[in-house]
Amino acid sequence: QVQLVESGGGLVQAGGSLRLSCAASGRTFTNYVVGWFRQTPGKEREFVTGINQSGTSTVYKDSVKGRFTISRDNAEKTVYLQMNALKPEDTGVYFCAVSLLNIVPTNAGAFASWGQGTQVTVSS
């Protein structure tokens, strides 16, 4: 079981930027695909982006392509989500999670461990 802690959320104006961090514990961190999801009240948790174990493959939800960048530093056991040109529809609680699959899945059920989430609010 990998323990995950998200940080970096906050309140920003539309067009602004935030950088989220997902800090992990556990010696097997490099064996995990890491994904970011977001959720708003009354809506299903949705996939935002994911990155493979080595950081050589990434997947993005269409609506964030060109604006969000996922990266990882395995030595520091941390995954980052750089979010630029934020829009009000990006508002939500952002969660990071890990999967043992060898590809980046987009369904929440494929991820085994989750962080507590960090709130991102984008005002218009």
Side-chain angles (χ1 to χ4, degrees), residues 106-123:
T106 60
N107 57 306
F111 290 82
S113 297
W114 296 78
Q116 85 291 344
T118 185
Q119 177 70 43
V120 171
T121 303
V122 184
S123 62

Side-chain angles (χ1 to χ4, degrees), residues 39 44 49-51 58 63-65 68 87 90 95 100 122:
Q39 188 169 28
E44 190 173 288
T49 183
I51 189 167
T58 57
S63 64
V64 308
K65 288 180 179 177
F68 290 11
K87 303 175 180 180
D90 295 319
F95 300 87
L100 285 171
V122 184

Side-chain angles (χ1 to χ4, degrees), residues 23-72:
S25 63
R27 293 180 177 178
T28 59
F29 178 72
T30 56
N31 292 333
Y32 289 96
V33 166
V34 178
W36 285 96
F37 291 75
R38 66 189 179 195
Q39 188 169 28
T40 56
K43 292 189 175 182
E44 190 173 288
R45 190 171 297 185
E46 67 174 352
F47 174 83
V48 178
T49 183
I51 189 167
N52 73 341
Q53 295 91 330
S54 63
T56 58
S57 180
T58 57
V59 179
Y60 294 91
K61 174 180 171 64
D62 285 345
S63 64
V64 308
K65 288 180 179 177
R67 300 188 297 119
F68 290 11
T69 303
I70 187 171
S71 61
R72 69 190 295 162

Side-chain angles (χ1 to χ4, degrees), residues 4-7 21 45 93-96 114-118:
L4 305 171
V5 179
E6 302 95 334
S7 62
S21 296
R45 190 171 297 185
V93 178
Y94 282 68
F95 300 87
C96 65
W114 296 78
Q116 85 291 344
T118 185

